[in-house]
Amino acid sequence: MKLRGAVIERPGVHFAIAAVKRSVIDNRFEAGMTLQHLNTVFPGMHVVLVSQDSPEAPAYYGRSDLVQLMNEVSSDRIEWQEYTIE
């Protein structure tokens, strides 16, 4: 399975973001399971889920301070990569 994601590095903060469907973010159980699964892709990092599948602003799920930081980052500045999940 392919995943679109990025590693975000800011002074004092290092974490990952992963693009998912909005339905994942809207379901706390599924979001939690997805975060656990992504620990294998981004070991040792906190992960924030992002949904961009609507014309509205992106929706985020994860640690509140990291979500706040992502709300302040312009999405065109993110260096997205494709990851393979087994």
Side-chain angles (χ1 to χ4, degrees):
M1 180 164 88
K2 301 289 183 180
L3 166 76
R4 190 169 159 236
V7 174
I8 307 294
E9 296 185 38
R10 298 286 183 262
V13 182
H14 184 87
F15 64 101
I17 59 172
V20 297
K21 292 182 180 189
R22 179 64 187 248
S23 60
V24 173
I25 289 176
D26 290 341
N27 181 320
R28 293 179 67 90
F29 177 77
E30 191 171 352
M33 295 300 290
T34 301
L35 288 175
Q36 283 184 337
H37 187 68
L38 290 174
N39 284 332
T40 61
V41 179
F42 303 105
M45 285 188 234
H46 289 284
V47 179
V48 173
L49 303 178
V50 58
S51 172
Q52 299 174 310
D53 55 356
S54 75
E56 302 168 11
Y60 298 100
Y61 181 90
R63 215 173 80 183
S64 61
D65 60 326
L66 300 178
V67 167
Q68 179 62 36
L69 178 64
M70 287 309 303
N71 280 318
E72 298 168 3
V73 172
S74 175
S75 60
D76 62 339
R77 299 191 73 215
I78 297 171
E79 296 181 27
W80 293 100
Q81 295 183 18
E82 189 171 280
Y83 296 86
T84 301
I85 300 176
E86 296 182 19

